Amino acid sequence: MEFKGKDLEYYNALIKVRDEVTEQMRHCADTALSSDNIEKRGVTTHMADSSFDNSRSEMALRMLSEDGDILALIDDAIERLANGEYGKCMECGEMIAEPRLQARPYAVFCIKCKSRQEEMMKNR
């Protein structure tokens, strides 16, 4: 599908973020799986060193998972853009404010609905 006008701007913003997230994932995976880190794990002599290495690996895996979720949101946003549904809040159906889409082009909720969701999660 070929996008024009404002849709092309949104598409380009989504692709830019996707490229940034993909590069971040590549760097994170390279760091977590580098041969230096793997070799160090086998020769770590102090428990604190081992614990730090494990924490760093767990954090890298968590970041990879979160970035994977963002990639899925970006792909969904591109599909919504192609279907003419981009920019509509998935909860209330209102249009998501332009500044929010500029900051987070893959946003699926308007500020009001997102704030309400975060408040509900905080109160659980």
Side-chain angles (χ1 to χ4, degrees), residues 15 24 37-38 40 44 49 55 74 89 95 101 104 107 113:
I15 295 301
Q24 182 175 311
N37 286 340
I38 292 170
K40 284 180 189 174
T44 300
D49 291 338
S55 294
I74 291 169
C89 177
M95 293 305 292
L101 290 175
R104 189 166 293 211
C113 291

Side-chain angles (χ1 to χ4, degrees), residues 27-88:
H27 175 73
C28 190
D30 288 347
T31 301
L33 300 175
S34 74
S35 60
D36 289 344
N37 286 340
I38 292 170
E39 288 172 16
K40 284 180 189 174
R41 286 185 200 139
V43 296
T44 300
T45 58
H46 194 277
M47 285 178 49
D49 291 338
S50 178
S51 177
F52 177 75
D53 289 343
N54 288 338
S55 294
R56 187 170 39 182
S57 294
E58 288 174 19
M59 184 174 73
L61 290 173
R62 189 171 34 251
M63 288 175 62
L64 283 170
S65 176
E66 290 171 3
D67 287 344
D69 293 343
I70 291 172
L71 287 179
L73 288 171
I74 291 169
D75 289 342
D76 290 346
I78 291 171
E79 187 174 319
R80 287 193 312 277
L81 187 61
N83 294 332
E85 296 292 317
Y86 180 79
K88 290 182 184 174

